[in-house]
Amino acid sequence: MEPRWLSEDEQVAWRRLIAVAALLPHELASHLRDEHGMGMHEYWVLAMLSEATEHTLRMRELARRAQASPSRISHTIDRLHARGWVTRQPSTTDRRGQQASLTPAGLEVVRSTAPSHVERVRQVVFDALSPSDVADLARIMDRILAKLDPTGERSPGGRY
């Protein structure tokens, strides 16, 4: 069976997608590290906890939302705990599980870091787009995510 090669337009789009996928996380991580002394994954975990009810999530759910392995989440929580930004305790609903909670200090870190981070996201992504482009981008990403994660179980926002 003959491979379904990419058309010239598809090849251009693919290479641009790969470039953005490689450059954007590095750009945002560099900004967070330089301005706030934390990595992108640490910020993302803090953000996921800040959005959760009572700023608490089971470790398994946190790993899903942060798109990380349980081991990576555990190591991240250990680092955040050492900084006084999170606590880890047995689950209140199932003693076999663990849950992570944002401390008041951790919540303050999110509140003080978020404006700068969001401004950087705006500068490198959304300032280059029209409102129509933003809608198109969301629609396109939804289609790709539906192929990569049909159940929405691995995506931070759930089903799309």
Side-chain angles (χ1 to χ4, degrees):
M1 184 165 130
E2 183 68 24
R4 295 186 320 143
W5 298 111
L6 300 179
S7 70
E8 187 173 328
D9 288 345
E10 289 169 334
Q11 185 70 250
V12 168
W14 170 243
R15 289 177 187 232
R16 289 180 181 161
L17 175 62
I18 293 300
V20 168
L23 294 171
L24 184 60
H26 177 73
E27 172 63 31
L28 296 177
S30 293
H31 176 260
L32 283 167
R33 186 182 57 251
D34 295 346
E35 296 291 321
H36 303 286
M38 75 177 78
M40 182 67 189
H41 183 67
E42 291 169 325
Y43 176 77
W44 192 250
V45 168
L46 292 172
M48 295 298 100
L49 288 170
S50 76
E51 295 172 0
T53 303
E54 298 182 23
H55 308 302
T56 299
L57 287 170
R58 285 182 59 104
M59 294 290 281
R60 178 176 292 190
E61 177 61 14
L62 182 56
R64 184 192 74 76
R65 291 186 188 192
Q67 297 177 314
S69 70
S71 175
R72 184 172 187 199
I73 283 296
S74 183
H75 290 296
T76 301
I77 292 300
D78 288 346
R79 286 193 308 277
L80 296 174
H81 177 73
R83 294 177 90 167
W85 295 346
V86 300
T87 60
R88 184 196 312 219
Q89 60 276 340
S91 171
T92 57
T93 58
D94 175 6
R95 292 287 176 185
R96 291 174 295 168
Q98 294 273 308
Q99 61 187 30
S101 298
L102 203 55
T103 64
L107 185 57
E108 182 52 39
V109 166
V110 173
R111 287 181 176 153
S112 67
T113 303
S116 169
H117 175 65
V118 169
E119 180 58 31
R120 193 66 190 143
V121 169
R122 181 168 297 290
Q123 290 170 354
V124 299
V125 178
F126 294 104
D127 285 351
L129 304 176
S130 70
S132 176
D133 292 336
V134 173
D136 288 343
L137 179 62
R139 179 182 49 77
I140 291 165
M141 293 301 105
D142 282 350
R143 285 184 171 179
I144 294 171
L145 282 170
K147 289 283 193 179
L148 293 171
D149 184 18
T151 64
E153 292 176 8
R154 297 181 306 165
S155 301
R159 288 198 59 83
Y160 8 84

